[in-house]
Amino acid sequence: MGDWGRAEYLARQGIRDRRVLAAIANLNRADFVPAHERDVAYRDVPLPIGYGQTISQPYVVALMSEALQLRGGERVLEIGTGSGYQTAVLALLAREVFTVEIVPELARPARRLLHRLGFTNVYFREGDGARGWPEGAPYDAIIATAAPPEIPRELLRQLKHGGRMVIPVGAVDQAQELLRIRRGQPGLLPQVERLLPVRFVPMTGQVAPVN
């Protein structure tokens, strides 16, 4: 299945955002996986990328991207650059993407690849994603590709009032849920929407939960 074929497949699976489908179609997932995985890059499955990390299956990438409800003018914070695939999708959907990766051996090749592919609206940081990127806050949207045991307080603090965060939450050895969290106006509690059960690698670093 080529990438245009994958977009058609994702549409049949319920992805409706045409911009998300176009972004998926215009990227070659094989560019973002290790050489020995490229012959299976077109399958709708997660794949290992080394250092205990994975590239998410295309359906989950599309669903999370759609759930952010991006229209093109947003500033997005991504926690977990990984191989850069989700980052590239976001870069096609938003004005600016700030991405943080804690594993240098993944962060550096992802940066080189995205530069080679011509992305100029992505900013990179190596470090603890649980701390976010405070200097760039507030963000219109935040996405995490690793699961903390609870919603991280620091990430919620960096989200604009009215902004959306899509994040898997739950311990790695327990049930995890993909959540969409809308930060309320000052004085109001965030709204939490459960999207589907998932299994992600754990978020490492100093995760402080929302009280």
Side-chain angles (χ1 to χ4, degrees), residues 62-169:
L63 179 68
M64 293 176 73
S65 301
E66 183 175 64
L68 290 176
Q69 300 176 320
L70 302 175
R71 295 295 174 260
E74 297 88 357
R75 301 171 75 250
V76 179
L77 173 64
E78 179 192 37
I79 305 304
T81 313
S83 69
Y85 182 62
Q86 175 74 79
T87 316
V89 172
L90 296 171
L92 292 171
L93 298 173
R95 177 167 59 91
E96 294 178 306
V97 179
F98 297 76
T99 184
V100 183
E101 173 57 57
I102 199 168
V103 181
E105 293 85 356
L106 294 176
R108 293 166 191 173
R111 181 198 297 247
R112 290 194 296 269
L113 174 59
L114 290 167
H115 283 166
R116 179 170 63 80
L117 294 175
F119 289 99
T120 59
N121 62 334
V122 180
Y123 305 95
F124 300 86
R125 171 171 286 185
E126 296 177 26
D128 183 356
R131 300 178 185 273
W133 194 327
E135 298 88 342
Y139 300 97
D140 299 289
I142 297 176
I143 187 171
T145 59
E150 298 179 344
I151 300 170
R153 180 174 63 231
E154 184 57 33
L155 295 185
L156 188 62
R157 183 181 294 127
Q158 293 176 32
L159 187 63
K160 277 186 179 179
H161 293 287
R164 296 143 329 265
M165 177 161 60
V166 174
I167 184 171
V169 174

Side-chain angles (χ1 to χ4, degrees), residues 30-31 45 49 93 98 114 129 141 161 165 180 200 203:
D31 288 338
V45 294
I49 58 173
L93 298 173
F98 297 76
L114 290 167
H161 293 287
M165 177 161 60
R180 176 166 54 192
F200 277 77
M203 181 179 291

